[in-house]
Amino acid sequence: MKQLHRCVSPICAAVLSALALNSHAALYEVIELTVSEEGEVHTYALDGTSPRSDTGVVVGAGSPIPVFNDNDLDPEDDENYPVSPAPDNSNLGEFDLNGDGDEEDIVDEIEDADLRFMSAYQSKYKALINDSLNEWDRINVWDTINPEDGEYRETTDDYFFGVNDKRVATGYGSSPYYVYKWEDEDTHDETYAILRDFASRAFVYKAGDDPDGERVALYPEEMEFGGVSGAYDISDSNLVAGYASVSLATGAREAHDSCLYDRNLPEVVCDYEANSGQIGLSVYNIEAFIWQLNSDQEVVFTRALGSPIELPAGVDARLVSQAFAANDNGYVVGSADNYVTPDAPSLQLLREYAAIYTEYSPNDVGILDITDRDVYQANSDSPVVSRATGLNNNDIAIGFATRLVNGFWRTKAWYYDINADLPQMVEVPSFFDSSSMTAKSINDHDMIVGEFEWEPRPGNVTRRRHGYLYDIRSETFIDLNDAVGCISDLDIVEANVIRNDGVILATATTQMPLLTVDGDPVFDSNGDPITTTVARAVALKPIDGGDYDNCTDKDEAFPKNEREGAGFGWWLAALPIAVWFRRRYSISR
């Protein structure tokens, strides 16, 4: 395995920066992308355009601050402020406002306006867009105005995942929840259900358009019961990559009919239960999917990208594939269910593997299965063996794969040159042998960013992570916390995007005062303010002529790694950032 080297070449630091090894300096200016006017608890930058950093567009998502209903609940009187479903966890009938089982809190007259205060239906993520590295703006995707109060329903989850240099952004969102009431035919009692029309629908949006204007929907092939679709990336040629429902899975229609006729529920209720997976199975076959747009963001054609598995005649099996990135040469990368042992194929032994879809590329060979089964092995801990997560216009794909190191499964970053004479997964050198790494973005200068474990703790102990930059051409690596002048109040825990102008979009953790629902600070028994850790999207802008700063270990609780290339930051608290990206690259399986 190659040893990592400190970044000593200008191209490794950034496309435009010169490099000199002096202390107490920086290669990057850190620009915090402040929260929107409405405010978010955490913010994440997930893609950006490549023009100069002061004119580019950044897209992402943020978690909104919870809201409360003073009519039904006084947060000062009850710490269990989120309104939660009744103990049977059903969305039919009565609800327990405080989640405490007290019959006095049970109500059965829920209106649409109440749903925004209920933790089960309240928005968890909002789509955010940032023009010229200024303040975030929220974009409502499929949310609608509630006629009862003239306000947005605030019960959707919306995400931006990609944007191209034409400022066309893409992602997906859910439809808003609403209360559906009907009279039971047998008892003649009025009852209700809380429904939504679909769980995810891909969309495109042109930056600068009306934030409340109409979105362009990217529909799936299979729309029965609502269907699902999502978009993760858009190339400069307006090729959108994502996933879509393409057909009904075996048994889906029968389960839906049972809801209709055996349980005697309205069809709209059964449609919702099917789409949300409440009928006991996943109802859709889902495939990697592309939508080609014209210059007016109109869909010209769509195509499901298929599966590397060719099912025998008469065999029904639910296979899932996804597309995570597309380039201007027609290549698409992602993952697909595939055989663990291709030489002895068995539908009982399937895992998720990296896939390169080549149908529209200059070298069309179908679907490339690029994972070496001898090195990256299937295990019972995860259904995912490997994924291709990014792609540049040099036809170099990146991703991650799991392999066994010292008796433990570790995630390893890799890159794959499609045009090489003997293309193969090339593992990015680990910070230390058992360090897990991911690769999340690659620019056209062949620079990769992601996150890595910098802390050599043994076994299955959770290790803290930092964002990194790796240059394929010079085989050099930097811990991004070393490149920003050892800023004391920020810890860069993941790098999500590297643009062609050298700007890196990352996530940093920092401490913020803990506030009450009224916005007042909270103090401990000694009268000291209590702080909490938040995730903040940051842009790392190359400093022309910037210097590299070799930071020292700021956390005395953990010994300094003596291996060359060890740069240490300090963790402020645990955050579910890895969970966020699992969510990004996960659909109902």
Side-chain angles (χ1 to χ4, degrees), residues 454 485-488 550-558 568-570:
W454 61 267
C486 306
I487 296 175
S488 61
N550 187 7
C551 299
T552 57
D553 187 3
K554 299 298 191 299
D555 190 343
E556 297 179 358
F558 298 93
F568 292 88
W570 52 101

Side-chain angles (χ1 to χ4, degrees), residues 4 89 470 510 572:
L4 289 179
N89 201 33
Y470 179 74
T510 188
L572 299 174

Side-chain angles (χ1 to χ4, degrees), residues 305-373:
L305 298 182
S307 169
I309 294 177
E310 208 172 299
L311 293 175
V315 173
D316 291 318
R318 182 174 185 264
L319 303 173
V320 174
S321 60
Q322 301 179 80
F324 298 138
N327 71 6
D328 294 331
N329 303 326
Y331 286 106
V332 178
V333 300
S335 66
D337 288 344
N338 208 338
Y339 295 120
V340 171
T341 54
D343 294 337
S346 170
L347 292 176
Q348 306 305 313
L349 290 175
L350 297 180
R351 289 293 190 274
E352 184 179 343
Y353 288 91
I356 299 177
Y357 303 92
T358 69
E359 186 171 355
Y360 300 101
S361 68
N363 303 303
D364 178 16
V365 293
I367 301 175
L368 294 176
D369 178 8
I370 64 175
T371 305
D372 186 337
R373 300 317 198 258

Side-chain angles (χ1 to χ4, degrees), residues 49 57-59 129-131 137-141 160 162-171 203-217 234 236 238 293-298:
T49 58
V57 172
V58 178
V59 298
I129 193 164
N130 189 303
D131 204 344
D137 290 319
R138 285 188 188 179
I139 303 298
N140 289 298
V141 182
F160 275 123
V163 62
N164 64 16
D165 285 352
K166 298 176 181 177
R167 300 167 62 91
V168 180
T170 192
F203 73 99
V204 291
Y205 167 83
K206 182 68 174 289
D209 285 355
D210 180 3
D212 297 320
E214 184 178 356
R215 309 288 170 257
V216 177
I234 180 169
D236 287 340
N238 278 350
L293 311 179
N294 62 19
S295 58
D296 295 321
Q297 292 83 62
E298 298 169 332

Side-chain angles (χ1 to χ4, degrees), residues 204-274:
V204 291
Y205 167 83
K206 182 68 174 289
D209 285 355
D210 180 3
D212 297 320
E214 184 178 356
R215 309 288 170 257
V216 177
L218 303 179
Y219 292 105
E221 279 189 1
E222 178 57 68
M223 292 285 292
E224 192 161 3
F225 314 144
V228 293
S229 63
Y232 293 124
D233 190 36
I234 180 169
S235 71
D236 287 340
S237 56
N238 278 350
L239 184 65
V240 179
Y243 66 87
S245 52
V246 297
S247 61
L248 293 180
T250 302
R253 193 176 303 282
E254 291 78 2
H256 181 267
D257 289 347
S258 176
C259 173
L260 276 176
Y261 304 118
D262 296 342
R263 296 169 59 197
N264 199 27
L265 292 175
E267 184 169 9
V268 66
V269 177
C270 294
D271 287 353
Y272 167 77
E273 292 198 1

Side-chain angles (χ1 to χ4, degrees), residues 46-47 161-162 170 172 230-235 239-243 288-290 305 320-327 331-336 352-355 357 384 386-391 398-400 414 439-440 581-587 589:
L46 301 178
D47 201 7
F161 286 120
T170 192
Y172 62 82
Y232 293 124
D233 190 36
I234 180 169
S235 71
L239 184 65
V240 179
Y243 66 87
F289 209 84
I290 57 172
L305 298 182
V320 174
S321 60
Q322 301 179 80
F324 298 138
N327 71 6
Y331 286 106
V332 178
V333 300
S335 66
E352 184 179 343
Y353 288 91
Y357 303 92
V384 181
S386 60
R387 281 178 178 166
T389 57
L391 177 69
I398 60 169
F400 64 84
W414 53 262
K440 295 183 176 178
F581 280 98
R582 282 197 295 271
R583 182 186 183 110
R584 173 180 178 179
Y585 294 132
S586 297
I587 56 179
R589 303 184 63 79

